[in-house]
Structures are given as structure tokens and as C-alpha cells.
Amino acid sequence: MQPPAGFRPGRADWLQAGMVAAALFALYAATSPRSVAGEDDGLFILSSYFAGIEHAPGYPLFVLAGKLFTLLPVGSVAYRVHLASALFGGLACAAAWLCARALTGARLPAYLAALGLGVAPVFWSQAIIAEVYTLNALFFLVLVFLGLNAHERGALPWMAFVFGLSLSNHWPLMLLAAPGFAILLWPRLGEIGRRLPLLLPLFLLGLAPYAWMVWRSWQEPPISYLGPLENWREVWYMLSRASYAEVDERLSASWLDRLRYFPFLGAQLLHQFAFAGAALALLGCAVQWRVWGRRVSGCLLAAFLMPTAGLVLLLNFDYDSFQKHMFHVYPLPAYAVAALWMGLGFAWLAQRYALQRTPSAAAAAALLALMLAWGARTNLLADYDWTARYAQTILQTLPPDAVVFVQGDADLAPLGYFHMIEKQRPDITLYQAKGLVLGNRPFHPLRIDAQGAERILRELIDAQKGPVVFTLDTYGAYARRDRWLYTVLDKSSRDASRVTVDIPPEAVRFFEQSLAGAEDTNGWNAFFRGELRRRYANLLAQSLQRDAAPDPRIRRQLEQLSKDFYGALGLAEGLLIGKAGYPSGVVATLLDTVRDTMPPDVPKLHLSRFFYLRGALRLDLKDRPGALRDFETALAAWPVPENPALAPLGDLYREAGNDAALQAMQDRVHRRKR
């Protein structure tokens, strides 16, 4: 192994790095979903197609690149934007090859590092959907390579420009990596100061996509997250991610949640490189100080720690299956560093034990085969198409000429893709209830208070002559027909408690084919599919008649749902609120199933819901002490103002004359809300 300084890639090096990029691009292109997928995929496709403004902080560079890919004459629009992530993923691994080649002085460890990163489960998953993380990894590895060659005359100007561009893609993650770059460039700080008149303009040029984003917002494109950004306050609100404050700072999160993330991060590292590769990465991390020296090793260690442990300390996430999935993509730069360490660990072992070329190549090939199989297990078995089936089912069953109020990633994105890009159901009109994303917003979300927004929304709904539909939410001023995947307002009655359950046959088939008994390794999909099962079970239980036996089809569904955590939770909830009354023993049995099948990382919302329902059952059975304990546990599990346990808990405190407990409860929730 050679020291990291002094490497200049030759023609063969560039060619082999290009081969890595081409091979991985082919893998990603072959395994990418052909239609819209879940998470932010649909929003990035919509933003790219319309050259619009993505959710905060806007990601203008990816949007511009995605727009170019929508012009390709290949497949669907969704697939074309997926190819952008695939290309960036392949190029990122080519940059990893060059970095490992420079750091180890050998090609075989470079192949192990680059291809191992490329087939890692999380990296692969982000390279086949429309997301910003492979482009972020590309910028990170290019900056590492340029930093290793900072002695070259053109390296610093290129670093300044590329760093600016990287901030135009995902500034929070790149700023987290910045301390590593500072360590790497420490000996050249004097030169950087002298050349600042050149470097600063190049850096600012890299930020130019943000200027385009602001200008583009003035054109009011069909997709624009916050609408026109017409003053510095609005621009800063967008760039600073202030609209995501509730996401980054959960009211119910605590330091215990942060502590629980650290074992999760360790398990994720082992998982990314199929355990054997992770062991090599740990070895490489240990020996890097002797091989690469303090500067390079300090850079890589800082770049590893900041988007992992550092980010855990900065954010305030709940520790649950959904939040873990949101978090698990952020450490991709750290996994890139671990891939370089894996290459070093392999090279160190090969040198220590004087392995010849053939056995070394065989060992590397075997390890890569293991990691390929491990990554394929996650990505090839994932049901990416279920989101498209969900959106298609809604579109097939919506009433003609409906005005449809959608919410966010789960419904707006896939429905918007098929309606606005594939031109399905041209008779309907989509609105976003909070004035976000869609260009036909009824009000500007930054220039109106909650009362004003509610007034305009009410006037808009009242003015509609045709059907008014809400997905994933409802509107409390009218009766409604609940069709499971959406509700239709019944403006003939102002009685909001009047609900008619009417699940269309197409929706029932979707449940049976795509949700019943479905398991998903993707945390986002698993949560949303579970929520749909819970809601289906809730409606099914509400529609049961005590004096009539269900037909065989419904009986099969009830049996299946009663064995599932989300299904049993929904059945218990539906029976409790159903108008026909309920057998308390059946509800108690369902709640026992919920308790026994509850995942260890269940979202706090559902943990709290379980105790709330059990408390409601005990309250109906006149067990006030037991109900009080359950309601208090429900609030402790999820201490937010939206917790339904607050009302009955407050009533029990008032009945008991426990004013001190009532005041403490109100103070606790108020403090969390602030």
C-alpha cells in the first residue's frame, strides 16, 4: 500500500472506474420501478417533470437534472427520473473506486470498496427511485478525491465549485461532512486564504440553482412547494427547512430515543456490508492511522461520525419503525467512508498474509457475491409497485367530476403523477388542503393564519356543486360516506357524526391483493400499509351487525385481520365506536392480540392508541382505576396535544377532584406544544 498523496489516475484507472459506473448503472436500470413508488419518489418526479419546486429546502440541482432525464425517449416518466438516481449512483461508486485506488494504491481493493458500496441495501434502494442521496454521495466522494489531490493546481477551484453544487442538492448532509473536508485541507488553509478571490465566486456559482429556484417560483409552476418566494423571509423559510420543524423536532421525542438510535446505527453498518464486509471496514478503520496518517484518517472519521452520531444528537426523532426508515438514508456518506475502510482492511490483510493475486481475487469475488445477494434480498423482493396500485384504485373509484383534497407524499404524489403526468381522470381536480405543493393552491401558506386558511377552505368546499373528496383525512363540517381510501362529503347534512361505510368492490380487491397479510422490509411502506389495514379493519368492524352473521368473504377478512397487529387494533377500535354495540370479551381478546403482536419499535402513536382503547374498554366496564392507569400510560407514551386520551383523562381527574393532576397534565402538553 502506498501513502495517499501523489496518486494521479492514468487512462486505465479512468477506464476501470467507468466500467464500475456502467455495470452498476445497468444493475440499477434493470431493477428500478417502472412506475411511481412510495416516499418522496412521486414528488421528485412531479417536480422534475414540471421543473417545479420540491419540498424544503427545494433540491433545485436534482430537479434540474431530473428535468433533463424526463426528456429521454425511454419508458415512463417515472422510470426516466429513476434513471437519474441510477446514473448518479453509478458515478458515485466510480468516484469511490478512484478514492480507494488513491488510498490503497491497488485496484482490487478499489473494486471491493466501489462495488460493495453499490450493492449495499440502502445505497441500492436510493439508486432506483427518484431521490437526492446518490447525487449527494457522488459529490461527497468527488470532494474526497479532490481533497486527496489538493496539491494539484486545479483541485482547489474545482473543490470550491463542487462544494457549492453539493449544497444546491442537499445542504444539511454536506455541511455535516464539511469538518472532514476542513481536516483534509488543513495544510492548505493559507493557500485557500490567498486564493479566496477566485474560490469564493466559484463556490457561489455552485449555489446558482437556488437563484433559479427562487426565480422559477415566481412563474407559479404546477408544482411549487410553498408558492412564490417573494422576499428574504420566505426564501429563508424555504432554505432553512423551517416547514419541517415538526418532523425534525418531534414533540414526543426524548433523549432515550436518541440513545436507542446508536445500536440501530451499529446494526445498520453491519447490515450494509453483509457482516463480513463490515468486519473488514472495522479493521480498516483501526489500521488507517498507521497507513494513511492523521489528516486523511481524521477526515474520514469526521465524515463518518457527523451524518451518524452527530446527526442523532442534532435531530429529535422518535425511535420507531417509521422514523428509523426516514433516518436510515442520511448516513450514506458514512457508508461510503466504511466502503473505503473495507477496501483498506482487505488490502491490509492481503499484504500481511502475502496473498497472491488469484486467491485475493477469489476472496474479493466471494465477498462481493455475498454482498450482492444480501442487497438483492432487500431490493429485488420489495414491492415498489403497490403505491401505483393504491393510486390507481383511488382513481378508478372516485366519483365523476370530483374535487379531491390530498395531503402529502402518500397520496398527493402518486395521484398527482397519474393525474397530472399520465393524464388519467382529467375530470377531477386536485387540491392540497394546506396550500402546499400544487400550483392551484387556494391560498399562500406563508401569508395566512390558520383561521384564514380554514375560512377559505370552507368557502371553497361550500362552493362546489359536484362531489368533494378527502384522502387520508376528512372534513368535520358535514356528514360523509367513508369509502376507506377516501371519504366523500355529504353536504345534505351538517351532522359530522353521520358516517356511512361504503367500500367499493375495487377497493376490496386492492385490500385482498396488496394489503392483507402484506409484509414489507421498507419501513415507510410497512407503516403506511399497516395504517391502511388498520383503517380497513376499523370500517369493517363498524359495519358489522350484531344480529347478522358476516358473509364468508368478510369472515375470512376478519379472521386474517384479527391476527395482525394493525388489523386487530383497527377491529378493536371499530367495535368500540360502532353504533350496534360490541361484545366486551371480543374487544378484550383483540386488544390482547395487539399487545402480543406489537413490534418493539412500534410508533408511539399506535402504542398510545392501544392503551387509549383499553382504557376506553375499561371505562365502559366501570373499571375507573384501570381506565385511569391506561389513559395515563397512553399520554406518557405519546405526550402531544393530539392524543385522544387527554379528554377522558381530564374527565376522570375532574370526577375525582384531582385538580393538581389535571393542571400537571395540561402544563405537560402545553410545554411540549411550545
Side-chain angles (χ1 to χ4, degrees):
M1 289 178 287
Q2 67 182 44
F7 170 72
R8 179 175 294 182
R11 182 177 180 181
D13 295 311
W14 291 111
L15 179 61
Q16 291 179 66
M19 290 169 56
V20 167
L24 288 171
F25 175 75
L27 173 67
Y28 301 147
T31 56
S32 279
R34 267 44 180 181
S35 186
V36 64
E39 304 180 57
D40 286 341
D41 181 73
L43 288 181
F44 275 111
I45 294 168
L46 286 165
S47 299
S48 297
Y49 183 79
F50 292 107
I53 316 301
E54 185 54 47
H55 67 73
Y59 308 102
L61 187 62
F62 185 92
V63 168
L64 288 169
K67 176 62 179 178
L68 295 178
F69 274 80
T70 64
L71 305 177
L72 293 174
V74 178
S76 66
V77 172
Y79 181 63
R80 297 171 200 173
V81 186
H82 295 165
L83 290 180
S85 292
L87 179 62
F88 299 142
L91 292 175
C93 292
W97 191 94
L98 291 170
C99 289
R101 173 77 171 89
L103 289 166
T104 66
R107 292 190 171 96
L108 186 57
Y111 279 113
L112 181 63
L115 295 175
L117 174 64
V119 299
V122 172
F123 192 95
W124 188 343
S125 73
Q126 299 306 297
I128 58 178
I129 62 173
E131 264 293 4
V132 297
Y133 297 105
T134 54
L135 181 54
N136 184 71
L138 171 61
F139 282 131
F140 170 74
L141 287 161
V142 167
L143 287 167
V144 170
F145 181 73
L146 290 171
L148 293 173
N149 293 275
H151 58 280
E152 298 285 347
R153 179 169 178 79
L156 287 178
W158 273 112
M159 282 195 77
F161 177 62
V162 171
F163 187 61
L165 279 179
S166 73
L167 298 182
S168 297
N169 178 60
H170 199 307
W171 68 259
L173 286 183
M174 289 310 298
L175 284 185
L176 283 173
F181 301 138
I183 294 171
L184 192 59
L185 296 176
W186 188 261
R188 315 201 78 80
L189 287 183
E191 180 184 354
I192 291 172
R194 292 191 300 272
R195 302 182 69 182
L196 200 58
L198 169 65
L199 301 179
L200 183 59
L202 289 172
F203 168 74
L204 295 176
L205 180 62
L207 296 176
Y210 281 119
W212 169 84
M213 181 187 77
V214 174
W215 172 83
R216 180 60 176 158
S217 76
W218 301 342
Q219 317 307 310
E220 301 193 36
I223 298 296
S224 182
Y225 182 67
L226 290 175
L229 305 172
E230 295 182 347
N231 56 59
W232 285 109
R233 182 185 65 83
E234 293 175 353
V235 172
W236 179 246
Y237 188 88
M238 180 73 170
L239 295 181
S240 66
R241 287 175 50 92
S243 59
Y244 274 73
E246 293 182 1
V247 176
D248 296 340
E249 291 287 332
R250 294 283 175 177
L251 292 176
S252 53
S254 67
W255 272 98
L256 179 61
D257 291 283
R258 287 177 172 147
L259 292 176
R260 294 177 71 188
Y261 269 100
F262 288 100
F264 165 72
L265 288 172
Q268 281 286 291
L269 176 62
L270 295 175
H271 180 71
Q272 297 313 305
F273 300 102
F275 299 95
L280 284 178
L282 292 173
L283 175 62
C285 178
V287 303
Q288 66 174 334
W289 304 94
R290 299 200 302 269
V291 179
W292 294 340
R294 289 181 298 176
R295 182 172 57 88
V296 172
S297 301
C299 161
L300 295 179
L301 186 62
F304 179 85
L305 291 176
M306 289 304 294
T308 52
L311 192 56
V312 166
L313 297 176
L314 287 172
L315 295 178
N316 201 25
F317 279 4
D318 287 328
Y319 181 84
D320 61 46
S321 56
F322 182 73
Q323 301 294 325
K324 287 193 301 184
H325 184 79
M326 288 180 57
F327 185 90
H328 88 302
V329 296
Y330 298 155
L332 273 190
Y335 299 151
V337 171
L340 299 179
W341 286 340
M342 180 173 62
L344 174 61
F346 180 85
W348 187 85
L349 283 178
Q351 184 181 73
R352 179 177 177 84
Y353 294 102
L355 295 181
Q356 298 300 310
R357 179 175 299 180
T358 300
S360 294
L367 183 54
L368 284 173
L370 173 64
M371 288 190 286
L372 175 62
W374 193 255
R377 173 178 170 269
T378 299
N379 289 289
L380 297 187
L381 298 180
D383 185 8
Y384 288 103
D385 295 331
W386 87 270
T387 304
R389 296 194 299 272
Y390 162 72
Q392 293 280 21
T393 303
I394 294 178
L395 291 172
Q396 289 168 13
T397 58
L398 283 173
D401 303 313
V403 171
V404 184
F405 287 89
V406 289
Q407 305 304 313
D409 296 352
D411 57 344
L412 185 160
L415 288 172
Y417 172 77
F418 287 114
H419 174 63
M420 302 174 71
I421 296 179
E422 301 287 347
K423 306 302 182 184
Q424 296 185 17
R425 291 299 306 266
D427 59 303
I428 68 172
T429 303
L430 296 183
Y431 285 106
Q432 209 281 338
K434 296 181 179 179
L436 302 173
V437 182
L438 297 176
N440 65 343
R441 57 182 50 82
F443 49 81
H444 195 295
L446 297 184
R447 302 173 193 167
I448 195 169
D449 59 19
Q451 292 76 19
E454 176 61 28
R455 176 182 54 80
I456 292 175
L457 185 63
R458 182 176 64 251
E459 292 172 353
L460 178 62
I461 291 171
D462 291 344
Q464 300 305 314
K465 302 302 182 183
V468 178
V469 170
F470 278 77
T471 62
L472 301 184
D473 200 359
T474 190
Y475 183 71
Y478 292 107
R480 63 188 183 276
R481 188 166 78 256
D482 198 322
R483 310 198 80 191
W484 175 40
L485 299 179
Y486 58 87
T487 60
V488 184
L489 298 188
D490 178 5
K491 293 199 283 187
S492 67
S493 171
R494 288 278 184 176
D495 182 4
S497 65
R498 200 178 98 186
V499 180
T500 303
V501 177
D502 174 27
I503 305 177
E506 297 90 343
V508 175
R509 284 196 296 272
F510 169 69
F511 168 78
E512 292 176 337
Q513 295 169 5
S514 299
L515 292 180
E519 295 184 3
D520 205 312
T521 57
N522 180 296
W524 190 94
N525 287 340
F527 173 81
F528 188 53
R529 291 169 96 165
E531 273 292 279
L532 290 177
R533 286 200 303 278
R534 182 190 66 81
R535 180 162 165 69
Y536 186 91
N538 186 317
L539 295 178
L540 203 62
Q542 287 188 55
S543 63
L544 291 176
Q545 301 296 322
R546 295 198 67 174
D547 55 351
D551 63 48
R553 187 179 192 180
I554 292 179
R555 197 159 51 243
R556 286 195 303 271
Q557 293 175 6
L558 289 170
E559 183 179 357
Q560 194 168 30
L561 288 166
S562 66
K563 299 175 183 177
D564 169 72
F565 168 76
Y566 285 98
L569 189 66
L571 289 174
E573 186 174 20
L575 288 173
L576 281 169
I577 65 177
K579 296 178 180 178
Y582 66 90
S584 57
V586 173
V587 175
T589 300
L590 287 169
L591 289 175
D592 286 344
T593 300
V594 173
R595 180 197 60 208
D596 296 339
T597 59
M598 187 180 297
D601 55 358
V602 63
K604 294 179 179 179
L605 162 68
H606 295 312
L607 176 62
S608 174
R609 190 187 300 272
F610 162 71
F611 285 106
Y612 165 72
L613 294 176
R614 200 171 70 174
L617 175 63
R618 287 178 166 172
L619 192 60
D620 284 352
L621 296 175
K622 311 304 181 184
D623 178 10
R624 277 174 164 68
L628 182 65
R629 289 193 301 271
D630 277 336
F631 289 141
E632 288 177 336
T633 306
L635 183 60
W638 193 46
V640 298
E642 298 80 14
N643 195 317
L646 281 170
L649 184 58
D651 291 340
L652 288 173
Y653 284 148
R654 292 185 188 93
E655 287 180 15
N658 195 341
D659 294 336
L662 178 63
Q663 187 62 49
M665 179 192 75
Q666 294 171 344
D667 290 345
R668 180 182 186 186
V669 174
H670 181 67
R671 185 169 61 251
R672 288 273 184 175
K673 189 174 182 179
R674 287 186 299 176

